Amino acid sequence: MGYDAKFRVWRGDTDGGDLQDYTVLVNDGEVVLDIIHRLQATQAPDLAVRWNCKAGKCGSCSAEVNGRPKLLCMTRMSTFTEDEVITVTPMRTFPVIRDLVTDVSFNYEKAREIQSFTPPDGLKAGEYRMKQVDVQRSQEFRKCIECFLCQDTCHVVRDHEENKQNFAGPRFLMRVAELDMHPLDVAERRDSAQSEHGLGLCNITKCCTDVCPENIKITDNALIPMKERVVDRHYDPLVWLGNKLFRR
Ligand code: FES
């Protein structure tokens, strides 16, 4: 049985905007993205929204539903009551382009700042050998779909534009941890995690873990272990001596 839902959607562009009210039909089994599409088809043909797979895998449809960072295609209408007003707004941490579409290029800039996978000199493609047990830990991080909801919710940058320059955000600190845990990567990751990518600004509130649609334990399995590795390097005298002698 369908019903009419009350939607409040942010409309605007780089010059500003505001919330506009709509009443839209909802059918059984639908998700918020279905309602946004119906809104486009029936009342607001110029409403801008980014999406691609509608299966929670491309990471394009990130926005905020009732103030919570969400994938629009994975947010079921059945999680709301029929009389609830549902507010849909663009991700707050990134500049708006139009309506629900934001400019997420901050994330691509941060990705470029991380040194890529660096195998030992002389090791050719096809000669990489490692044990499954050694890649097990970091394999979880490869599930990331780069929806940037963790970057959006992270309070270090959400209301602090001034921190953006010095902070890579959870998605990319997780990438640093993934590379540091890789058995064949020989690049220096620990000092740069702190000095270049702002690991010290993270105070492990786990907001990033809470919003991850892939349920990656970003804080517990990537950020906290990375912080421990940085501290080990600086404060354990044996590790410090070993690092001096062997650079790992
Ligand atoms: Fe691809 Fe939502 S449309 S994750």
Side-chain angles (χ1 to χ4, degrees), residues 33 37 50-62 70-74 145 147 213:
L33 185 61
H37 283 162
R50 188 184 279 136
W51 71 284
N52 198 341
C53 70
K54 199 171 176 278
K57 286 297 163 203
C58 73
S60 307
C61 67
S62 302
K70 295 276 187 192
L71 293 181
L72 297 180
C73 74
M74 297 303 283
I145 59 170
C147 62

Side-chain angles (χ1 to χ4, degrees), residues 5-9 20-22 24 32 35-36 77 86 88:
K6 291 198 172 16
F7 263 69
R8 190 165 279 179
V9 181
Q20 292 190 17
D21 291 324
Y22 301 95
V24 200
V32 173
I35 313 310
I36 294 293
M77 287 303 298
I86 299 164
V88 187

Side-chain angles (χ1 to χ4, degrees), residues 216-231:
I216 303 171
K217 301 274 182 295
I218 304 171
T219 316
D220 286 352
N221 293 350
L223 306 189
I224 291 175
M226 196 62 208
K227 279 174 178 280
E228 288 169 349
R229 285 163 175 244
V230 169
V231 168

